[in-house]
Amino acid sequence: MLVFSHSDCLGHVTPPGHPERVERLAAVEAGLEGLALERRDCPLAEKAEVLRSHPAAYLARVAGAVPETGWAQLDGDTFLAPGSLKAALRGVGGVCAAVDAVLAGEAGAAFVAARPPGHHAETARAMGFCLFGSVAIAAKRALDHHGLARVAVVDFDVHHGNGTQDLLWDEARCLFASSHQMPLYPGTGAADERGAHGQVLNVPLRAGSGGAAMRAAYERIILPAVAAAKPDLLIVSAGFDAHAADPLAQLEWEAEDFRWLAARLWEVSGGRVVSALEGGYDLGALAESAGVYVGEMARLEG
């Protein structure tokens, strides 16, 4: 199994007390320790990759807002530091490189350990700690650059991937399926949000519902939908903030729920799956959850 990361992602430094902090990557690395993984650096994404989903004016606005020192604030909880743009471009480049590698047959599974996350970034709006919609960009690369007929994106972060939904709303070739706590930030993700072609599938979960409710929802709704779509590639927004220890939500999952998700998503992917880190803000829970998720994928890939 491939793991993509880069030290530039440590350059996205957030203000003291911010939950999306540099230490998250060290926690992920601690969780992956001891696993048999092939390591690769995230390349720096070309401007053209970002423009698959975001307008040039938006990219210029983000680049122009990067401060020389300290922080710039894009919304109530999304900040830029001097190294943030390069970090975000490494994240986009990493997911795109993972797609390229999996489609080239270099591995069946890949995990991208990069930050900032991406699934809240809308077409022309940074929000929810996110600058660029890396998973949506990678899906469009798979479709347009590699010529795939069908891609599926599954998002199990505890927060709805409103940005991914926005970026893929008109994309008939891509199924977007999300499970998430509701009500919760960002307030989107109702079951009746279906996409321009009926290809968006939102499965809200109640606070406190636990891993059993999640597994039932996946078995009943999300996994059959992915199987029916027959994707040539599965891309996963892997947020680990549904864990019971996470400070930002209350779905009450345990680490073994992420192992179960890894197994079921691998099975339905047909052996081609790229996962990208999104949320997860309790460092211990993040380390454990990322470790069992990636470890299970690696074990099944063989």
Side-chain angles (χ1 to χ4, degrees):
M1 181 171 178
L2 300 177
V3 171
F4 288 80
S5 60
H6 201 281
S7 60
D8 281 347
C9 295
L10 301 173
H12 176 59
V13 180
T14 51
H18 197 285
E20 206 296 286
R21 58 204 191 275
V22 168
E23 291 83 359
R24 295 182 66 236
L25 287 185
V28 171
E29 290 297 334
L32 303 187
E33 188 174 354
L35 297 177
L37 306 167
E38 180 182 339
R39 298 291 192 139
R40 296 187 184 181
D41 283 342
C42 296
L44 202 62
E46 299 287 341
K47 178 180 177 181
E49 293 300 333
V50 179
L51 298 183
R52 290 185 190 278
S53 291
H54 300 286
Y58 172 70
L59 175 57
R61 189 162 74 247
V62 172
V66 174
E68 292 186 6
T69 60
W71 295 283
Q73 191 167 2
L74 298 180
D75 77 351
D77 53 23
T78 307
F79 291 82
L80 293 173
S84 295
L85 180 61
K86 184 173 283 188
L89 291 175
R90 291 289 182 190
V92 173
V95 186
C96 289
V99 166
D100 293 349
V102 168
L103 292 180
E106 296 168 18
F111 180 76
V112 183
R115 53 176 293 280
H119 75 149
H120 291 310
E122 296 183 342
T123 302
R125 181 186 181 194
M127 61 182 291
F129 315 158
C130 302
L131 302 180
F132 304 127
S134 50
V135 161
I137 292 168
K140 292 188 176 186
R141 177 174 178 82
L143 292 164
D144 296 335
H145 177 76
H146 290 283
L148 300 191
R150 192 76 170 147
V151 170
V153 174
V154 172
D155 187 334
F156 61 73
D157 190 280
V158 80
H159 302 95
H160 179 241
N162 60 295
T164 307
Q165 177 172 289
D166 181 49
L167 297 173
L168 297 176
W169 187 264
D170 294 311
E171 181 50 76
R173 299 169 294 173
C174 186
L175 169 71
F176 173 62
S178 174
S179 65
H180 44 272
Q181 182 177 324
M182 196 172 187
L184 190 67
Y185 180 91
T188 54
D192 61 1
E193 297 170 22
R194 297 287 293 139
H197 307 280
Q199 84 290 1
V200 169
L201 179 61
N202 285 307
V203 182
L205 300 170
R206 296 190 315 276
S209 56
M214 175 274 290
R215 296 186 191 204
Y218 271 79
E219 292 287 13
R220 186 177 71 254
I221 304 171
I222 293 178
L223 295 172
V226 174
K230 298 180 180 178
D232 301 305
L233 175 70
L234 174 61
I235 306 177
V236 181
S237 273
F240 299 100
D241 40 6
H243 192 282
D246 199 273
L248 300 189
Q250 303 82 34
L251 275 190
E252 306 294 327
W253 298 2
E254 300 294 340
E256 287 303 310
D257 293 311
F258 297 105
R259 189 192 307 275
W260 182 89
L261 275 168
R264 298 295 285 118
L265 291 170
W266 169 260
E267 179 182 340
V268 80
S269 76
R272 295 208 294 193
V273 56
V274 170
S275 302
L277 177 66
E278 299 284 3
Y281 305 104
D282 179 272
L283 298 183
L286 174 60
E288 183 184 17
S289 301
V292 299
Y293 178 84
V294 173
E296 183 68 5
M297 283 270 185
R299 184 186 71 80
L300 290 169
E301 182 191 16

